[in-house]
Amino acid sequence: MTWSTQITQLLDIKYPIIQAPMFGVTTPQMVAGASETGALGTLALGDLSYEKCMDAIEATRRLTTQPFAVNIFVNSIPEVSENLRSQYSKVSSFIATLAHQHGLEVVLPRLEEIHLTDYKDQIAAIIASKCKIVSFTFGNLDSQSIALLKENGTVLIGTCTSLAEALLLEASGIDIICVQGLEAGGHRGSFQATVIPQIGGLSLLSQVYDHVNKPLIYAGGIYNARTLLAAQQLGAAGFQVGSLLLKSRESALLDFEKQHLSQVKESDIVLTRSFSGRFTRAITNTFIKTVDGTDYILPYPYQNKLTNALRRAAKAKGNTDFVGIWVGQSIHSYRDGSTGDILQELIREVEEATG
Ligand SMILES: Cc1cc2nc3c(=O)[nH]c(=O)nc-3n(C[C@H](O)[C@H](O)[C@H](O)COP(=O)(O)O)c2cc1C
């Protein structure tokens, strides 16, 4: 197989393999490890403030001179209405009681204390630090931000979970489209429909390839040569891997979370809104089973902010019943070497399989 594709050319990388942004799991060390291998590391900035974005980018730059991408959340934020205020206090009391019943002491933020980042501040940080590759999820960038980033020579990668979303990204002039299959670990990048699209990765990638004239990255379920080559057959020119790196040395997951991952079974992996208010693919646990299907779920990002303290307390106690561990549907051995070694092994496997 020749590794050169539109993606390697556009991004100036050797292998069209992208280390998925994984907010809370990705570290500057993981990004550098991926980029030093000749793949593309992606620094997950989530909803970090301007200053924290600058710090994370600088920390990564200290570790590698190779190209890497930065990734942000571009969701719209629901207005704080009277209804939201009363819902917030109801969900807050519910979570406080639940935590107390399970021996977790948490101090939950009041609604007024929650600080939400405007992604335009993050874009200012990205431009100030001269980052040249930006991927985003949970929405599309506004036209002003697209123009600003393009003026600065930035390559843009948008995430879609349906053909309709892919067409919107294409019409906005986004350079590369990341097609996120339903198998993928972590949050669904969905932004167009009120009900999240249910189309599977195989069908979605093939449909987007047929109807959209942009280079495609596929994300969702890739963990070995066969799954990568299947995505290539369906039209992907780039291959994004997330769950494959969850147990890597550079992953920010704690040891007890990595151990828990090794025991995961097919039926444990679910899509849930309980932790953040957006659908995310995660390992089921007591929290998810208690909250899913109830009214104790606020719209994103309020639910996310409210459950943060609970997750932190659970992490500190090594309690898998209340942590959020995001993972995709392809269960495998979750190798535990360095990011570089895991990616090198994938590259070797693909080269062996294709001769
Ligand atoms: C722990 C975790 C965190 C994630 N966080 C982000 C994120 O911050 N931004 C993003 O665009 N995608 C995020 N994703 C989704 C990945 O970019 C990608 O779509 C997914 O990992 C691909 O599926 P896989 O896990 O089967 O490889 C996350 C995925 C995981 C597993």
Side-chain angles (χ1 to χ4, degrees):
M1 151 164 187
T2 157
W3 285 109
S4 170
T5 69
Q6 282 172 295
I7 300 287
T8 54
Q9 287 150 26
L10 267 170
L11 304 180
D12 193 21
I13 52 176
K14 186 167 176 199
Y15 302 108
I17 296 177
I18 292 96
Q19 165 255 307
M22 295 186 280
F23 192 52
V25 172
T26 304
T27 55
Q29 288 74 13
M30 181 187 282
V31 179
S35 288
E36 288 290 317
T37 310
L40 183 76
T42 314
L43 183 65
L45 298 174
D47 62 351
L48 293 180
S49 65
Y50 178 96
E51 290 74 20
K52 288 194 169 149
C53 288
M54 295 292 280
D55 290 348
I57 293 166
E58 203 188 302
T60 309
R61 285 251 169 82
R62 279 200 294 268
L63 301 172
T64 184
T65 53
Q66 296 303 310
F68 64 89
V70 293
N71 173 268
I72 55 174
F73 298 158
V74 299
N75 53 285
S76 54
I77 293 172
E79 230 173 88
V80 179
S81 59
E82 266 319 300
N83 185 33
L84 183 73
R85 277 181 208 288
S86 77
Q87 269 286 104
Y88 190 92
S89 68
K90 187 176 107 180
V91 179
S92 181
S93 323
F94 172 78
I95 291 179
T97 308
L98 189 64
H100 186 71
Q101 282 167 351
H102 289 83
L104 296 169
E105 292 315 319
V106 293
V107 181
L108 300 174
R110 283 180 294 118
L111 186 54
E112 309 74 59
E113 288 167 345
I114 290 183
H115 174 74
L116 299 176
T117 305
D118 182 339
Y119 77 78
K120 291 182 186 153
D121 290 344
Q122 299 179 299
I123 289 177
I126 288 167
I127 289 174
S129 2
K130 300 190 170 54
C131 294
K132 294 299 178 203
I133 310 169
V134 173
S135 71
F136 58 89
T137 188
F138 300 174
N140 192 4
L141 291 168
D142 63 287
S143 51
Q144 236 183 336
S145 298
I146 293 175
L148 197 62
L149 286 161
K150 291 209 161 184
E151 266 167 42
N152 280 276
T154 313
V155 180
L156 300 176
I157 308 174
T159 309
C160 77
T161 64
S162 68
L163 177 58
E165 288 170 355
L167 290 167
L168 277 176
L169 294 170
E170 180 186 39
S172 310
I174 302 307
D175 304 294
I176 297 173
I177 296 178
C178 175
V179 177
Q180 191 189 38
L182 197 56
E183 300 88 335
H187 279 104
R188 306 297 304 138
S190 309
F191 60 94
Q192 216 248 334
T194 43
V195 178
I196 61 154
Q198 297 291 325
I199 183 168
L202 201 109
S203 305
L204 177 61
L205 176 56
S206 180
Q207 290 291 302
V208 175
Y209 182 72
D210 281 346
H211 294 99
V212 172
N213 188 22
K214 291 282 176 186
L216 306 180
I217 292 171
Y218 178 71
I222 298 177
Y223 70 104
N224 58 13
R226 276 177 297 129
T227 44
L228 185 150
L229 291 167
Q232 187 203 34
Q233 274 296 312
L234 290 168
F239 313 94
Q240 183 155 310
V241 294
S243 298
L244 180 65
L245 300 168
L246 285 173
K247 265 181 81 175
S248 68
R249 198 170 66 206
E250 296 85 355
S251 155
L253 287 185
L254 299 183
D255 283 346
F256 82 95
E257 294 173 297
K258 289 180 176 176
Q259 273 162 27
H260 191 53
L261 196 62
S262 304
Q263 288 148 23
V264 73
K265 300 186 301 297
E266 181 187 308
S267 54
D268 296 333
I269 300 175
V270 296
L271 266 184
T272 177
R273 285 180 62 233
S274 56
F275 274 114
S276 74
R278 284 188 73 91
F279 277 103
T280 190
R281 192 171 292 291
I283 303 180
T284 194
N285 59 12
T286 303
F287 182 76
I288 293 175
K289 287 179 195 155
T290 309
V291 175
D292 262 352
T294 70
D295 289 344
Y296 298 111
I297 304 179
L298 298 164
Y300 183 89
Y302 298 102
Q303 184 80 0
N304 201 41
K305 296 287 175 193
L306 201 47
T307 65
N308 263 341
L310 177 70
R311 285 181 273 169
R312 266 200 308 275
K315 240 184 199 278
K317 284 200 151 184
N319 178 340
T320 53
D321 284 331
F322 290 88
V323 287
I325 305 178
W326 309 162
V327 65
Q329 286 183 325
S330 289
I331 296 174
H332 56 279
S333 60
Y334 304 102
R335 288 166 238 176
D336 56 7
S338 71
T339 298
D341 285 349
I342 296 171
L343 293 178
Q344 283 289 359
E345 201 173 322
L346 176 63
I347 291 163
R348 220 176 14 251
E349 257 184 49
V350 173
E351 287 174 346
E352 271 169 27
T354 53

